[in-house]
Amino acid sequence: MVISMDRNKLFWNTSFPSLTVCPHKRIDEVKVEYYMQRNKKLFPTDDIKDQFRNFIVKLADLSYDNMDDLPMNNTFGIPSSQYMDLLYDLKWSFEPEMSSGAAVRMYISETITEFGICHSVNSLVGRYNSYDYWKSNDWRVIDHGQRVTVHPLDGEIYAQIINLSTSYDVYFHSAGEIPDITKKKYTFPESDYTTVELVALEIFTDKKARDFTIKQRSCRFRHEAEDMMTVPVYSFGLCLMECRMKFTLKMCNCIPHFYRNRIRGGRVLPVCDLRGIACMASIKDEIIGMKFSSYEVDCNCHSNCDDSNFFVQTFRSRVWFLGANLQWGIIDYPKMQLRRNVLFSFADVLVYIGGLAGFFLGCSLLSFTELIYYFVIRLTRKVFCTRQSRDSSKKKKIVKVRFFKK
């Protein structure tokens, strides 16, 4: 396999950048009040009610880097297996509008990330981490439609999310990926109209490489998900997510609530309670940095065979009286694209060996086959036939001796 550069930019399309938006406001105060009214026995005093409000907000924002902020003194009678169900029932209705200048319509869908409940745009894998997909015990591959692409002749292409209604974090990534906790995030306030311009660098793999093993090409296609535990497709980000899940399960005997706890085969993993969250907080640096010195985890994570990387070139914000809006797009189209091609196949190796042998030795691959036949197969057959004839002659002599004795 070899990675080469393609500079014929007018002959290929460029993937439009996908993103994941994580709103800062995730809990609806009205729903929280209604929940406490239905469960008055669990909240007898105003002090306990205030503690629960603080607890549920911190739980909705929980990630590996802020686990120390979660209050650990009261569970409020909520089992850890119901954390995600409760967060979903009490979540704030985040319903922005989506528009784009691309020829293909883009969709925004809810997804559960390592940062909590977020929303992904133009994602081919985000819906596999949705609450509805988990609860329906679904393992089928979803048809997400076409990959959104643009061409240099299309000019400047933008997409925008309107009426965000809250401050938010944004993670830019490819359509076949999810946001990762180690990637850079961009935070924007709720009163700005923000425009982000990105540049792209893509790599695609030749279809002939599908006949090679994963070890030979050092990458995986999306359908090669036989090692995945929680999703029916593969991506590098999903693999890292499961790797962290395996490590927390080994170290703390549980997994965070923002992971799918039902894996292939029907096994249900325990969800971390406050004690488990405290355990994860003590090893959060190892989890985030993927430096599992205390326990070795076999992740077997390879890069995506077809992948897009997006880098923020510029972004600008201005005060907008109609609420938070986000606009992003590509202005400078990439002038280079990486391609992973097959340099030598098995047939090419045979041709090159035959050509070199004919040039230097004056023989062909058929000559090597004849030599193998003469020194191995023919010699073995001759030895075997000689030994067989000796055994048969011995048997004849024994029969003659017995005959004359009689």
Side-chain angles (χ1 to χ4, degrees):
M1 302 294 298
V2 63
I3 297 178
S4 59
M5 289 186 296
D6 185 4
R7 294 186 178 275
N8 297 322
K9 64 178 182 179
L10 296 179
F11 289 90
W12 33 262
N13 295 325
T14 302
S15 300
F16 194 80
S18 301
L19 57 85
T20 298
V21 179
C22 297
H24 290 174
K25 183 178 181 181
R26 292 173 175 169
I27 298 298
D28 192 331
E29 294 84 356
V30 177
K31 293 181 179 179
V32 172
E33 295 298 328
Y34 182 66
Y35 175 81
M36 290 189 293
Q37 289 179 4
R38 286 185 300 163
N39 301 273
K40 292 183 178 180
K41 295 182 179 180
L42 299 176
F43 310 100
T45 63
D46 293 338
D47 185 38
I48 296 179
K49 291 180 179 179
D50 292 337
Q51 292 179 14
F52 176 73
R53 294 188 188 97
N54 182 47
F55 173 80
I56 200 67
V57 170
K58 294 291 181 61
L59 185 66
D61 295 333
L62 191 71
S63 63
Y64 285 119
D65 55 359
N66 63 1
M67 287 185 173
D68 296 329
D69 300 336
L70 185 69
M72 302 289 184
N73 56 348
N74 194 348
T75 62
F76 303 97
I78 307 169
S80 58
S81 59
Q82 297 181 8
Y83 279 171
M84 185 51 66
D85 298 331
L86 181 61
L87 291 175
Y88 195 81
D89 291 338
L90 302 181
K91 71 182 180 69
W92 178 64
S93 298
F94 182 69
E95 299 177 350
E97 300 177 8
M98 183 74 204
S99 65
S100 68
V104 181
R105 184 179 179 183
M106 299 185 191
Y107 295 91
I108 182 168
S109 58
E110 193 174 70
T111 182
I112 301 174
T113 67
E114 293 176 334
F115 322 103
I117 300 176
C118 300
H119 293 74
S120 60
V121 179
N122 184 27
S123 176
L124 301 178
V125 296
R127 287 163 63 186
Y128 295 111
N129 281 340
S130 64
Y131 179 82
D132 295 334
Y133 189 84
W134 291 359
K135 299 303 288 186
S136 61
N137 195 21
D138 199 351
W139 293 94
R140 62 185 176 88
V141 177
I142 303 174
D143 183 13
H144 291 85
Q146 299 179 356
R147 180 173 60 97
V148 180
T149 59
V150 291
H151 192 269
L153 297 180
D154 296 334
E156 298 180 0
I157 300 295
Y158 284 98
Q160 60 180 349
I161 304 177
I162 306 170
N163 192 22
L164 289 165
S165 304
T166 180
S167 56
Y168 55 94
D169 297 329
V170 178
Y171 300 85
F172 295 97
H173 51 81
S174 66
E177 271 299 348
I178 61 171
D180 187 76
I181 195 170
T182 59
K183 300 296 183 181
K184 185 176 181 180
K185 68 178 180 180
Y186 297 87
T187 303
F188 301 112
E190 61 180 340
S191 59
D192 284 7
Y193 190 108
T194 304
T195 301
V196 182
E197 298 168 354
L198 301 104
V199 293
L201 177 62
E202 296 185 288
I203 180 170
F204 292 98
T205 303
D206 189 8
K207 293 182 179 180
K208 296 180 181 178
R210 295 177 183 268
D211 299 331
F212 283 58
T213 63
I214 298 173
K215 185 177 181 181
Q216 285 176 313
R217 51 178 141 89
S218 299
C219 69
R220 282 180 181 265
F221 289 98
R222 192 176 302 139
H223 67 276
E224 297 175 329
E226 59 275 2
D227 296 333
M228 302 300 290
M229 299 168 54
T230 60
V231 290
V233 295
Y234 177 84
S235 80
F236 182 67
L238 290 171
C239 185
L240 293 181
M241 183 188 72
E242 289 194 1
C243 189
R244 295 189 181 99
M245 185 182 73
K246 292 177 184 177
F247 180 68
T248 55
L249 182 63
K250 290 293 182 181
M251 298 301 297
C252 302
N253 298 318
C254 61
I255 64 171
H257 63 276
F258 45 72
Y259 289 149
R260 186 177 190 176
N261 66 327
R262 184 181 293 275
I263 61 176
R264 289 182 185 268
R267 182 187 174 190
V268 178
L269 303 179
V271 179
C272 290
D273 54 9
L274 296 184
R275 181 179 299 178
I277 293 175
C279 173
M280 289 189 295
S282 62
I283 57 173
K284 65 179 183 179
D285 293 335
E286 292 184 67
I287 299 174
I288 296 174
M290 302 285 289
K291 298 178 181 178
F292 306 142
S293 58
S294 54
Y295 184 86
E296 185 176 354
V297 180
D298 185 15
C299 299
N300 196 24
C301 292
H302 295 274
S303 60
N304 300 323
C305 288
D306 298 330
D307 197 13
S308 304
N309 296 282
F310 297 97
F311 308 94
V312 175
Q313 187 177 23
T314 59
F315 69 89
R316 53 188 179 274
S317 299
R318 61 183 183 274
V319 178
W320 189 248
F321 62 93
L322 294 178
N325 289 356
L326 174 63
Q327 184 184 58
W328 77 100
I330 295 179
I331 295 181
D332 296 330
Y333 286 86
K335 300 176 178 61
M336 178 185 69
Q337 191 179 77
L338 301 179
R339 293 195 175 273
R340 188 183 281 109
N341 298 314
V342 178
L343 183 62
F344 290 107
S345 64
F346 184 71
D348 295 329
V349 172
L350 292 180
V351 170
Y352 273 90
I353 291 176
L356 291 174
F359 181 76
F360 288 104
L361 303 178
C363 60
S364 64
L365 188 62
L366 185 61
S367 302
F368 288 105
T369 307
E370 292 175 350
L371 289 174
I372 294 173
Y373 172 78
Y374 185 82
F375 287 106
V376 179
I377 300 176
R378 188 170 180 273
L379 184 62
T380 303
R381 184 180 295 176
K382 186 176 181 180
V383 172
F384 179 76
C385 292
T386 304
R387 185 177 298 174
Q388 193 173 19
S389 63
R390 288 177 181 175
D391 293 340
S392 61
S393 63
K394 286 181 181 180
K395 288 181 181 179
K396 290 180 180 179
K397 289 180 180 180
I398 292 171
V399 171
K400 288 181 179 180
V401 170
R402 287 179 180 176
F403 178 77
F404 283 121
K405 282 183 179 180
K406 288 182 180 181

